[in-house]
Amino acid sequence: MSQNNSYDNNNVFAKILRGELPCFKIYEDDYSLAFMDIMPQAKGHALVIPKFAAETLLEIPADMLAHTMTTVQKVMSAQKTTLGVEGVVLMQLNGKDAGQTVPHLHFHLIPEHLANLKGHSAEKGDMEQIKALAEQISQVL
Ligand code: AMP
């Protein structure tokens, strides 16, 4: 993975990318990875991350960002198909001051109305349900 100097190599998502921590994977290609959020703000909450060492949106080259957004499109489409939802919140936090808790660029895809979202990074979800949702979503990817 490419590197910039201020990036923390030991953040949780860097460890997931290196295979040092598990995740409920839903999609992977050469440039991006998608997996389930384990503290979901709604049922089916997924994350898409680039395979590039960027903390925020400002540190990723445009071509890598474009590829990551293509994965965001794929995952959102799969969520709509498999979960039968029409609305998906796309959220992305930049820096601690914005509430970012994991310092590796990521996009939240939350298939629920904004008004109904649970707290951010607040409560662990039901792992069996998350695993089942990952299998469901990944089947169309
Ligand atoms: P942010 O605050 O925007 O950086 O979001 C980080 C997200 O990562 C939160 O929604 C957490 O619930 C989620 N998260 C933290 N650790 C893990 C993990 N090991 N696997 C999946 N999601 C995680």
Side-chain angles (χ1 to χ4, degrees), residues 64-85:
M64 287 295 298
L65 178 60
H67 190 94
T68 306
M69 292 314 291
T70 302
T71 301
V72 167
Q73 278 185 322
K74 284 181 182 156
V75 172
M76 191 183 293
S77 173
Q79 285 173 317
K80 289 185 78 170
T81 305
T82 57
L83 305 177
V85 292

Side-chain angles (χ1 to χ4, degrees), residues 37-40 118 121-127 130:
D37 196 304
I38 57 168
M39 289 177 265
K118 293 186 195 156
S121 205
E123 195 185 331
K124 278 220 166 127
D126 174 339
M127 293 302 147
I130 292 172

Side-chain angles (χ1 to χ4, degrees), residues 6 32 46 53 76 80-81 86 89 94 96 99 103 109 116 123:
S6 63
S32 61
M76 191 183 293
K80 289 185 78 170
T81 305
E86 279 305 318
V89 172
N94 294 280
K96 277 188 194 144
L109 291 98
N116 298 332
E123 195 185 331

Side-chain angles (χ1 to χ4, degrees), residues 85-99:
V85 292
E86 279 305 318
V88 179
V89 172
L90 176 62
M91 181 174 80
Q92 191 267 313
L93 306 178
N94 294 280
K96 277 188 194 144
D97 287 356

Side-chain angles (χ1 to χ4, degrees), residues 7 11 46 48-49 53 58 63 102 108 110 121 124 127 131:
Y7 180 81
N11 76 74
V48 173
I49 68 175
L58 296 179
D63 57 343
V102 178
H108 296 261
I110 314 174
S121 205
K124 278 220 166 127
M127 293 302 147
K131 184 173 176 230

Side-chain angles (χ1 to χ4, degrees), residues 12-13 16 21-23 35-41 45 47 91-93 99-103 106 108 120-122:
V12 174
F13 294 169
I16 287 175
L21 283 178
C23 71
F35 54 97
M36 303 306 286
D37 196 304
I38 57 168
M39 289 177 265
Q41 291 186 248
H45 184 166
L47 299 167
M91 181 174 80
Q92 191 267 313
L93 306 178
Q100 184 178 3
T101 56
V102 178
H106 52 280
H108 296 261
H120 179 68
S121 205

